[in-house]
Amino acid sequence: GWLPVLAAVASLPGQHQPEQWVVVLDCTGMSLSACNPRIAMAVTAIIGDHYPERLGTIVALNAGYLMRYAWAAIEVVLPATMAAKLKFVASEADYKTAPLSDLFDDELRTWVQDEERLNRTQPLAAAQRQFWKRPSPELQGENDGPRHDPRGTPSYVSDYLDTFDVELHRGDAVTHQPHPNAITELAAK
């Protein structure tokens, strides 16, 4: 099993620039055999050693009983501050409640919910497989709806991607960069 990360960076409420990461994991279909404690320990060590103040919250969507059971075993060996950062959202019905409503505005919460639903749709629409591209009518699947853009929320796309200057930020190690495939796509414009 694998866990697609749906939204890797988001501003916490009251912040203009992302100072802390909110990582959203879709745990749909995750089995106990996919819960490797060594991987969890390695990831927390990397985050703790290199980005200790950057991780704000990890939101685990659709985390079933087995995931919670595995977490209970792993949680006891983690620093309390790290363990407190994981939040579970059990089902789609819980999306409008905490922690998503505490962490994301309505636009981002709706985008995460749509993205998670579309990523579970089989067959996966071309627009979802080619998430770095602006969805065109040919890439939109019949289940995608007319407004979903897998690159991000409407405000992120219009305020950031549509205005991102590839040449200005080439080699810039400070400014947040879009996905490398998105940069290639933007440079071709």
Side-chain angles (χ1 to χ4, degrees), residues 73 133 157 171:
K133 292 184 175 184
V157 170

Side-chain angles (χ1 to χ4, degrees), residues 143-156:
N143 296 324
D144 289 10
R147 295 183 298 199
H148 185 76
D149 188 333
R151 298 175 302 158
T153 63
S155 63
Y156 174 80

Side-chain angles (χ1 to χ4, degrees), residues 12-179:
L12 293 175
Q15 296 178 343
H16 298 290
Q17 297 295 320
E19 296 295 330
Q20 289 190 308
W21 298 333
V22 176
V23 178
V24 180
L25 303 173
D26 182 2
C27 300
T28 301
M30 186 172 183
S31 65
L32 194 54
S33 64
C35 298
N36 185 330
R38 287 188 197 124
I39 293 173
M41 294 304 291
V43 169
T44 56
I46 289 168
I47 291 170
D49 292 347
H50 301 286
Y51 309 100
E53 300 304 318
R54 282 289 198 192
L55 180 62
T57 305
I58 298 173
V59 179
L61 300 177
N62 306 312
Y65 180 76
L66 292 176
M67 174 70 174
R68 291 172 191 231
Y69 180 74
W71 174 249
I74 295 167
E75 180 179 29
V76 296
V77 297
L78 296 176
T81 54
M82 180 67 79
K85 294 180 180 205
L86 180 66
K87 309 293 183 205
F88 290 99
V89 178
S91 68
E92 217 172 301
D94 296 332
Y95 284 11
K96 291 184 180 174
T97 63
L100 290 184
S101 63
D102 292 344
L103 297 171
F104 302 149
D105 62 19
D106 288 341
E107 180 187 49
L108 183 54
R109 189 178 67 242
T110 299
W111 183 87
V112 167
Q113 184 175 0
D114 289 346
E115 184 73 2
E116 189 267 341
R117 177 185 51 79
L118 291 169
N119 284 336
R120 284 188 286 132
T121 302
Q122 295 300 322
L124 189 63
Q128 293 302 110
R129 286 191 312 272
Q130 298 176 0
F131 63 88
W132 61 91
K133 292 184 175 184
R134 176 184 304 277
S136 64
E138 312 79 71
L139 293 180
Q140 287 286 97
E142 51 185 72
N143 296 324
D144 289 10
R147 295 183 298 199
H148 185 76
D149 188 333
R151 298 175 302 158
T153 63
S155 63
Y156 174 80
V157 170
S158 67
D159 297 347
Y160 182 69
L161 287 181
D162 288 348
T163 61
F164 187 80
D165 186 331
V166 175
E167 290 305 315
L168 179 66
H169 296 293
R170 190 176 305 280
D172 180 352
V174 176
T175 304
H176 165 71
Q177 303 280 321
H179 188 279

